[in-house]
Amino acid sequence: MMERIQVGLGDRAYEIVIGPGARALAADLTGRRNFLVTDSRVAELWGSWAAKEIPQAGSFVFPAGERHKTPETVVSICRRAAELRFDRKARFVALGGGVVGDMTGFAAAIYMRGAGFVQIPTTLLAMVDSSVGGKTGVDIPEGKNLIGAFHQPEQVLIDPDFLATLPPGELRCGLAEILKTGVIFDEALFAELERDPDSLTVAPDYARFVPLIRRSCELKAQVVAADEREAGIRALLNYGHTFGHAVELLSDFSIGHGEGVAVGMCCAGELAARLGLWTRKEAERQKRAIAALGLPVALPRHCTVPAMLEAMRRDKKNRDGAIALVLPRRIGAAEVNRDVADAEIGAALEAVHA
Ligand SMILES: NC(=O)c1ccc[n+]([C@@H]2O[C@H](COP(=O)([O-])OP(=O)(O)OC[C@H]3O[C@@H](n4cnc5c(N)ncnc54)[C@H](O)[C@@H]3O)[C@@H](O)[C@H]2O)c1
Ligand SMILES: [Zn+2]
């Protein structure tokens, strides 16, 4: 059965379709010329399916990996589109994980000042987070996602069948984002991840993923509809990310985004416990759930306190030099805090080191 969730954004409203077989709806992407964008790994695994089932007037494949999420790759995507004579009525189709989605969306946002695009996410992380909400962009050496645009997709097709080829480590990264959504908005979602974690990681029971994806998308759709440009509540979705982006950056992107978020949530949880924003017991519960999913709960040694603070200060959510942090109040609620002293943050980071 197919589930449909509306993202209520007026004349830019769109639908998220979720369920086994949702990818078959790509056959209905007719009426306009489609430009398929994917990465080398997805092309290897799903390229022949895409060639047969997604109507397309051209395609572009770039090397897989966060390292390639750069302005240069976006320029290559746009040049390929121009070479193939796509006009602004083109429909860009992003088939892949968050890297493909973020870059294809950004290329669509700037190609001829704006073409449409459709998301067909193939990683769990992209299914529960990056494919919904219209944040697009690329990394530069100075920081992650520092160049980008808000550009909403026209449709999102989420098919859990893609998960069958996803390595366990990537599955875990997606689970980290679901856990994040649970901590900030929904205790029941969090508890669902605490239940039999092995059936989500070691021996995945894919049927369990559909309700998790649906609930995550439902919450994200509500948040995006209420605050598309992140003036308020949407900022809560950055829980664990200010710390996590710093870890990713200091690790030269050798760790997955979800792993960064996982250890970032541990940092935020530790800090919140020290500040008395939530109880030590809740911080421990969060840490146990993260560890049970096989995600990291300790900062790598090279992420020293000064290096972390310096990397965090570059975060684009900051204003006037103060580090903006999302901190939990309980499992199911969080808030943005801009007045935590560096010394407090440093002490919490010290405690999260291995
Ligand atoms: N725009 C947003 O709102 C938002 C939200 C969260 C994360 N992000 C971004 O998403 C990115 C991370 O996304 P990701 O984890 O999907 O990374 P990714 O796109 O790099 O995918 C991870 C790896 O899995 C491979 N892969 C993809 N689908 C596969 C499949 N079905 N089977 C086997 N392998 C497959 C990819 O080729 C890649 O090697 C980061 O750049 C992050 O900043 C954006
Ligand atoms: Zn994220």
Side-chain angles (χ1 to χ4, degrees):
M1 216 210 35
M2 232 51 97
E3 315 220 27
R4 289 165 193 270
I5 295 169
Q6 305 296 326
V7 185
L9 284 167
D11 59 349
R12 286 169 302 118
Y14 58 95
E15 192 173 58
I16 309 166
V17 187
I18 307 169
R23 65 194 153 95
L25 298 178
D28 300 334
L29 295 172
T30 52
R32 281 152 61 199
R33 293 176 79 220
N34 296 323
F35 179 40
L36 180 74
V37 181
T38 191
D39 72 25
S40 52
R41 182 72 187 129
V42 177
E44 229 172 275
L45 293 162
W46 295 94
S48 53
W49 167 79
K52 263 209 315 274
E53 304 296 332
I54 306 180
Q56 58 197 270
S59 63
F60 184 80
V61 181
F62 63 84
E66 182 80 32
R67 256 171 249 287
H68 298 281
K69 192 177 146 182
T70 59
E72 289 76 16
T73 307
V74 167
V75 170
S76 306
I77 295 172
C78 291
R79 290 190 62 181
R80 176 86 180 132
E83 189 185 296
L84 293 164
R85 306 247 177 275
F86 280 100
D87 62 20
R88 64 184 348 159
K89 288 205 292 291
R91 187 195 286 117
F92 287 36
V93 180
L95 176 72
V99 167
V100 171
D102 280 14
M103 268 202 297
T104 309
F106 185 49
I110 59 177
Y111 184 68
M112 295 197 177
R113 300 201 180 83
F117 84 114
V118 168
Q119 292 268 23
I120 309 180
T122 62
T123 64
L124 182 59
L125 185 140
M127 293 177 191
V128 300
D129 197 351
S130 63
S131 66
V132 173
K135 278 195 188 179
T136 72
V138 294
D139 306 331
I140 49 178
E142 288 74 16
K144 254 186 75 81
N145 300 326
L146 286 190
I147 295 180
F150 283 98
H151 189 53
Q152 298 293 340
E154 300 174 2
Q155 194 182 31
V156 185
L157 301 176
I158 302 182
D159 193 331
D161 289 354
F162 286 117
L163 299 177
T165 56
L166 200 64
E170 300 296 344
L171 218 46
R172 289 193 170 95
C173 283
L175 291 165
E177 297 278 13
I178 306 177
L179 202 64
K180 168 204 81 177
T181 305
V183 175
I184 55 182
F185 289 130
D186 186 358
E187 211 237 357
L189 180 61
F190 183 92
E192 183 55 26
L193 292 175
E194 286 175 308
R195 189 173 69 79
D196 191 8
D198 283 1
S199 73
L200 294 169
T201 52
V202 189
D205 165 9
Y206 293 105
R208 278 197 72 191
F209 287 88
V210 179
L212 294 172
I213 296 168
R214 186 191 48 76
R215 185 64 182 140
S216 302
C217 286
E218 202 170 71
L219 287 164
K220 182 142 188 197
Q222 282 169 15
V223 169
V224 169
D227 177 24
E228 183 185 11
R229 298 273 167 154
E230 203 170 302
I233 189 174
R234 185 165 184 180
L236 296 180
L237 291 170
N238 297 318
Y239 178 51
H241 281 60
T242 305
F243 292 106
H245 282 164
V247 177
E248 278 183 86
L249 204 62
L250 296 175
S251 310
D252 202 18
F253 299 110
S254 61
I255 67 157
H257 173 74
E259 292 174 316
V261 171
V263 63
M265 286 194 281
C266 290
C267 297
E270 171 67 26
L271 181 57
R274 283 164 178 264
L275 296 171
L277 294 174
W278 73 348
T279 61
R280 181 56 64 186
K281 203 169 140 217
E282 284 167 300
E284 288 302 320
R285 182 181 170 196
Q286 174 186 261
K287 188 173 165 182
R288 260 197 318 277
I290 293 172
L293 291 170
L295 287 158
V297 292
L299 277 171
R301 210 178 290 266
H302 65 268
C303 294
T304 62
V305 172
M308 284 291 291
L309 288 173
E310 158 69 17
M312 287 167 67
R313 233 184 293 282
R314 288 193 206 149
D315 198 272
K316 61 187 177 314
K317 267 96 61 193
N318 298 334
R319 279 202 305 257
D320 310 326
I323 296 176
L325 289 173
V326 180
L327 296 174
R329 295 308 304 258
R330 58 182 166 80
I331 306 269
E335 67 186 18
V336 177
N337 197 312
R338 294 181 190 277
D339 349 276
V340 187
D342 279 12
E344 295 271 16
I345 301 175
L349 289 172
E350 209 55 76
V352 181
H353 267 111

